[in-house]
Amino acid sequence: MASYGMLIDTTKCVGCYACRVACQMQNSLHVTDSFIHYDEVEKGTFPNVRNEHVPLACMQCKDAPCVSVCPTGASYINADGVVLVNSERCIGCKYCMNACPYHARIQDQDTGVAEKCRFCILADDGSVPDPACVSTCITGARIFGDLSDPNSDISLAIIKKNAKPIAGDLTASKVYYVR
Amino acid sequence: MTETLPWGTSIAWYLFLAGLAAGAYATSALASFKDFRNTKRLQLIGRIVALVVLAVGLVLLMFDASAGMKNPGRFFYLVSNPTSVMSWGVVILAIFGVIIIVTLIIMLLKKAVPVWLDAIGLLLAFCTAGYTGVLIGVVKTYPFWNTALLPVLFVVSAFSAGMAAVFLGSAFFARKEVEGLGALKRLRLFLPIAETLLIIMLLLVTASANPAAAESVHRLIAGDLALPFWLGLVVIGLAFPFLLELVTIRVKAGSTGAAAIDVAGGAGVLVGGFLLRYLIIFAAVPLVFVL
């Protein structure tokens, strides 16, 4: 019984998009589909400006709108707090795609199933490897781990860096941002 | 941020057709309460319209759910989640559909539909029209939808559209029976006013809610959706049927003139009913939180 979450430090992100490519590879997505997308925000005032890349994907919400609206029960939260989609139950009604404020869901071109980031849980064989986006990140901008363990790397980093969910307490998100 | 919306034209059609079915049934049931004997064909028209448009709407909905179309057995899972408004909708539609069919069969057998059955049907018609508003009303992503006014607006518009469809059908197949409706017919003056006021309230309230909703309102009244909003919804869908009804209020029911008014005004109301859903769906602007 863990509570998996992620920390994304946008001050370390260089905008190389390697996380998106790694995610597409890991999850065998079409080249035009991805679970990760980016918002770009200009920060600061001239001449001290920078272009902030904010990678966005499923926020693994504890109060997940996609789960509460899903009519078939295909969307669910597993024992470790990971929001998952049972692709055998999804009818592709796209209600979850409307309900998710983060636009984290995409419809699989072949199956019509509304898919999204699953923290690479499908690769899980008892051990819990870092998701592909974390292990591939060249600057170490992403940390994955158990939020329920106060001594995990991610729990300590959240406190140290004062990381916060992207939209406050909108959906009790478990992805924390340093910006 | 322009994103393609998950729901599009076929969902707008569905929301319209489900509301239309509810309104047509409600008109038929109310006609039955008012004057059962002399409005039989009109009542039959209402129930047939309700059944046909509901069926068309549901087929559209199923085709939009592509993973379900590939595996139709999955549609049985649709009632699995008590927190999903879509699950409630499926239950409501299932019961409503059965009631439409049962009352239609009773009428076709030339028997009287029990008042209690039509009363339950009326309640389910109300739930059907209301749920189409709640369905998108609970979506926080699009603040323009996220208001309790939406279901109310959809109920009023559904009743208006359903009544228009019944009068339109009756103009061809049951012209004399419209007389039997008496005051019910006058709702056609009241409903467009109520709908207009609700639209004004919706725009005013949501425009002040947050920037995303304000942008939706702007798109409708002065942006890319302004033409269908003003010409389609306001002029053709609301003002035209209302003024037509107003200036011809003394035209005798059952006359050719009255039938022509029912057809022209009814067509306007139906155009407006569809455009209302279409515009609300497409005016959606998502919440922005990455600033």
Side-chain angles (χ1 to χ4, degrees):
Chain A
M1 289 281 280
S3 177
Y4 289 118
M6 192 180 283
L7 180 145
I8 300 175
D9 186 344
T10 68
T11 64
K12 284 188 176 178
C13 177
V14 294
C16 69
Y17 308 119
C19 50
R20 181 166 64 188
V21 176
C23 172
Q24 288 171 311
M25 301 279 282
Q26 171 71 37
N27 294 294
S28 309
L29 300 180
H30 278 275
V31 67
T32 50
D33 287 347
S34 70
F35 293 158
I36 300 174
H37 61 279
Y38 303 85
D39 267 8
E40 284 185 39
V41 192
E42 282 177 29
K43 284 261 185 144
T45 41
F46 181 81
N48 298 313
V49 289
R50 73 182 176 97
N51 201 15
E52 183 196 20
H53 287 81
V54 186
L56 299 162
C58 175
M59 300 294 171
Q60 306 293 348
C61 312
K62 282 186 247 179
D63 179 15
C66 57
V67 174
S68 62
V69 302
C70 178
T72 64
S75 296
Y76 67 102
I77 302 179
N78 79 358
D80 293 326
V82 183
V83 181
L84 294 172
V85 182
N86 179 348
S87 59
E88 301 289 306
R89 285 181 87 95
C90 175
I91 59 164
C93 71
K94 302 187 282 289
Y95 202 7
C96 55
M97 296 171 69
N98 272 318
C100 175
Y102 313 102
H103 312 283
R105 291 203 175 221
I106 57 166
Q107 193 170 29
D108 187 291
Q109 295 176 14
D110 301 323
T111 63
V113 170
E115 288 284 4
K116 62 172 208 55
C117 162
R118 40 182 97 102
F119 275 172
C120 292
I121 208 94
L122 293 181
D124 193 357
D125 54 354
S127 65
V128 185
D130 274 348
C133 58
V134 176
S135 54
T136 204
C137 181
I138 54 167
T139 63
R142 290 174 181 262
I143 304 172
F144 171 77
D146 185 358
L147 299 171
S148 64
D149 173 4
N151 296 314
S152 63
D153 289 350
I154 185 170
S155 296
L156 296 172
I158 286 170
I159 295 166
K160 189 177 162 203
K161 300 184 173 189
N162 192 25
K164 293 196 164 50
I166 198 78
D169 54 4
L170 184 66
T171 56
S173 145
K174 295 206 303 304
V175 176
Y176 289 76
Y177 285 81
V178 180
R179 302 182 60 198
Chain B
M1 185 164 59
T2 37
E3 301 226 6
T4 45
L5 297 165
W7 283 351
T9 312
S10 58
I11 297 297
W13 273 110
Y14 165 71
L15 297 179
F16 169 62
L17 293 172
L20 181 59
Y25 179 90
T27 307
S28 177
L30 290 174
S32 157
F33 298 156
K34 173 93 176 72
D35 182 354
F36 179 75
R37 287 187 181 286
N38 297 318
T39 58
K40 279 188 182 158
R41 280 169 74 93
L42 182 146
Q43 290 173 47
L44 204 57
I45 289 168
R47 289 165 214 267
I48 292 170
V49 167
L51 187 62
V52 171
V53 299
L54 191 62
V56 172
L58 289 175
V59 168
L60 281 175
L61 206 55
M62 287 166 74
F63 273 98
D64 197 61
S66 53
M69 281 311 279
K70 291 187 176 99
N71 306 276
R74 291 184 193 174
F75 286 120
F76 289 104
Y77 294 132
L78 267 169
V79 290
S80 315
N81 185 354
T83 68
S84 171
V85 179
M86 197 179 281
S87 284
W88 307 351
V90 171
V91 173
I92 291 167
L93 287 170
I95 305 173
F96 184 44
V98 168
I99 291 181
I100 298 173
I101 293 169
V102 169
T103 59
L104 188 58
I105 291 171
I106 293 173
M107 286 206 73
L108 290 172
L109 294 172
K110 311 258 181 237
K111 298 211 172 90
V113 179
V115 172
W116 62 266
L117 186 57
D118 260 346
I120 297 173
L122 200 56
L123 179 69
L124 278 146
F126 178 82
C127 291
T128 300
Y131 119 84
T132 60
V134 180
L135 183 75
I136 67 170
V138 297
V139 173
K140 283 188 200 158
T141 308
Y142 305 107
F144 184 58
W145 298 352
N146 195 201
T147 154
L149 273 172
L150 205 62
V152 184
L153 173 59
F154 277 15
V155 167
V156 172
S157 161
F159 192 28
S160 188
M163 187 174 268
V166 173
F167 280 118
L168 209 158
S170 302
F172 294 103
F173 303 110
R175 198 191 289 177
K176 298 288 174 205
E177 295 189 1
V178 177
E179 278 175 273
L181 294 178
L184 198 58
K185 203 165 168 291
R186 290 289 159 251
L187 277 175
R188 291 192 299 178
L189 274 176
F190 167 76
L191 289 173
I193 296 174
E195 198 177 327
T196 306
L197 290 174
L198 281 165
I199 291 172
I200 293 170
M201 288 180 214
L202 180 77
L203 296 183
L204 284 175
V205 172
T206 54
S208 64
N210 70 39
E215 196 185 327
S216 294
V217 174
H218 180 263
R219 287 180 62 200
L220 285 174
I221 61 175
D224 58 323
L225 298 170
L227 187 67
F229 177 77
W230 289 110
L231 185 64
L233 178 57
V234 176
V235 175
I236 296 174
L238 292 166
F240 169 68
F242 172 74
L243 292 173
L244 197 63
E245 183 72 12
L246 193 66
V247 299
T248 58
I249 202 159
R250 298 199 185 283
V251 174
K252 191 180 179 310
S255 67
T256 313
I261 290 160
D262 287 344
V263 172
V269 171
L270 292 177
V271 169
F274 168 70
L275 276 178
L276 178 73
R277 274 77 174 182
Y278 179 91
L279 289 169
I280 286 174
I281 290 279
F282 281 93
V285 175
L287 266 179
V288 176
F289 45 82
V290 181
L291 295 170

